[in-house]
Amino acid sequence: MVSLAEGDTTGRQSAHSRAKAVKRFSTSDTIFRNVTRGAAIIVLVVLAGVAVSLIAGAWLAFETFGLGFLTTSTWNPVTEKFGALAPIYGTVVTSLIAMIIAVPVGLGIAIFLTESCPRPLRRPIGIAVELLAGIPSIIYGIWGLFVFAPFLQHTLQPFLIDTFHYVPGLSSLFAGPPYGIGVLTSGLILAIMVLPFISSIARDVFTTVPPVLKESAYGLGMTTWEVTRKIVLPYTRVAVLGGVMLALGRALGETMAVTFVIGNAHRITPSLLAPGTTISASIANEFTEATGDLYTSSLFALGLVLFVITFIVLAIARVMLAQMKRRAGE
């Protein structure tokens, strides 16, 4: 009888201990779930707050100019006539130049590091490329203004002007005196700045390709180029596209480096060698000088336009990624 009673007591204690452990685990899991949910909600609240602040600040400008604010390039604080077309044009063109240069170069660096580079050199070269991402943008701006722009003024820009002077279409694209600064210079600086994002992400995802796939391809007689084009890139295309879109977002919103070298001229010219401006550069240059309510509201409107452009770019990227994943699943 004593043994039965002791066994029953031991069983109740064991059940009680298990119940306490389950309750403790349940409590910690509930706390963790609520904390992570709170973090996600904070992000949404901050995003909504930014959007509401921009809309409220830009309301006066859109109420005054309407959609004409987006289709005119006039920017005159004296007469309080403002249009966002020139900064929008500069933002889009400089970002496109940056991506046209940075995407193939970045992917080339990643392919070289994962496929062709001698093993002792992979780490030093990879670290050197990643260090570019850690350089502050203002350093790029100073270097671009005092070193890179004079170099382009005496080398690349005269070459482009002389080479395409008599070529229809391209003559206007590379027309005018070689200022050094301008839209092309800004695009090249942006290309250097976003290059580490593309190459680092691409290199990391290229290393995730199963070696058996590449070894089988080589065994079938494929060259390195064919393995890269038919095996590596298709296997990692979703992640590579994500890295490209991340770099594009950085290029669209870059401020200080572009402000130094673009020339800050509110005008639209077909020549890539001419000075221009971007949305970020315009806000950085003029926000402290905005005295009137309409002037300040116009700068808020520029910020709202940049916010919308970035949102559209990211939305398109998400749609493209979803379609690629769906096709891969099929």
Side-chain angles (χ1 to χ4, degrees):
M1 295 294 292
V2 176
S3 299
L4 291 175
E6 290 178 351
D8 186 55
T9 301
T10 303
R12 286 198 299 270
Q13 291 177 349
S14 177
H16 181 67
S17 299
R18 286 196 299 269
K20 288 178 62 177
V22 170
K23 184 178 180 180
R24 185 172 65 254
F25 293 149
S26 177
T27 301
S28 62
D29 188 63
T30 302
I31 293 174
F32 177 75
R33 184 169 59 252
N34 290 332
V35 169
T36 54
R37 182 188 294 116
I41 292 174
I42 288 174
V43 172
L44 295 177
V45 169
V46 171
L47 182 62
V50 171
V52 170
S53 300
L54 289 174
I55 293 173
W59 186 262
L60 178 60
F62 282 109
E63 187 179 34
T64 303
F65 304 111
L67 293 179
F69 180 79
L70 303 176
T71 58
T72 58
S73 58
T74 302
W75 190 271
N76 193 335
V78 177
T79 59
E80 291 194 327
K81 299 295 183 181
F82 301 102
L85 188 58
I88 293 174
Y89 170 81
T91 300
V92 173
V93 171
T94 54
S95 298
L96 286 178
I97 293 173
M99 301 311 296
I100 290 173
I101 297 173
V103 170
V105 174
L107 293 180
I109 293 173
I111 293 170
F112 172 73
L113 291 177
T114 56
E115 302 295 332
S116 304
C117 182
R119 189 171 297 274
L121 296 179
R122 290 183 181 180
R123 186 174 180 84
I125 296 176
I127 293 175
V129 173
E130 292 175 355
L131 284 176
L132 292 175
I135 299 176
S137 59
I138 193 170
I139 301 301
Y140 279 110
I142 295 173
W143 173 77
L145 179 62
F146 293 104
V147 179
F148 194 55
F151 172 77
L152 294 180
Q153 185 181 17
H154 294 96
T155 55
L156 179 62
Q157 292 185 357
F159 171 77
L160 293 175
I161 294 172
D162 295 337
T163 303
F164 299 105
H165 182 69
Y166 298 104
V167 180
L170 294 179
S171 59
S172 59
L173 200 62
F174 301 103
Y179 294 106
I181 59 175
V183 175
L184 179 61
T185 305
S186 300
L188 294 174
I189 291 291
L190 286 177
I192 297 173
M193 295 183 67
V194 303
L195 181 64
F197 294 93
I198 299 174
S199 61
S200 297
I201 294 175
R203 185 190 63 178
D204 290 340
V205 298
F206 286 168
T207 58
T208 64
V209 178
V212 64
L213 294 180
K214 295 191 289 186
E215 292 171 359
S216 301
Y218 284 122
L220 292 174
M222 288 187 177
T223 63
T224 303
W225 161 243
E226 291 175 327
V227 170
T228 301
R229 182 168 58 91
K230 297 181 180 180
I231 304 296
V232 176
L233 289 177
Y235 189 88
T236 60
R237 61 184 182 274
V238 174
V240 170
L241 179 60
V244 170
M245 289 302 171
L246 176 64
L248 178 58
R250 170 70 188 275
L252 287 171
E254 178 54 41
T255 303
M256 294 309 301
V258 173
T259 304
F260 273 87
V261 298
I262 198 170
N264 303 303
H266 281 272
R267 62 187 183 188
I268 299 176
T269 59
S271 177
L272 299 179
L273 307 182
T277 189
T278 63
I279 295 176
S280 299
S282 297
I283 296 174
N285 278 324
E286 303 184 33
F287 205 86
T288 57
E289 302 175 0
T291 54
D293 293 337
L294 186 58
Y295 194 179
T296 304
S297 180
S298 298
L299 293 175
F300 268 102
L302 286 179
L304 179 61
V305 170
L306 181 60
F307 182 85
V308 172
I309 291 174
T310 306
F311 180 81
I312 292 174
V313 169
L314 294 179
I316 293 174
R318 296 301 302 176
V319 171
M320 293 175 62
L321 290 174
Q323 290 179 347
M324 294 171 68
K325 289 180 181 179
R326 186 164 55 250
R327 291 172 183 171
E330 295 174 355

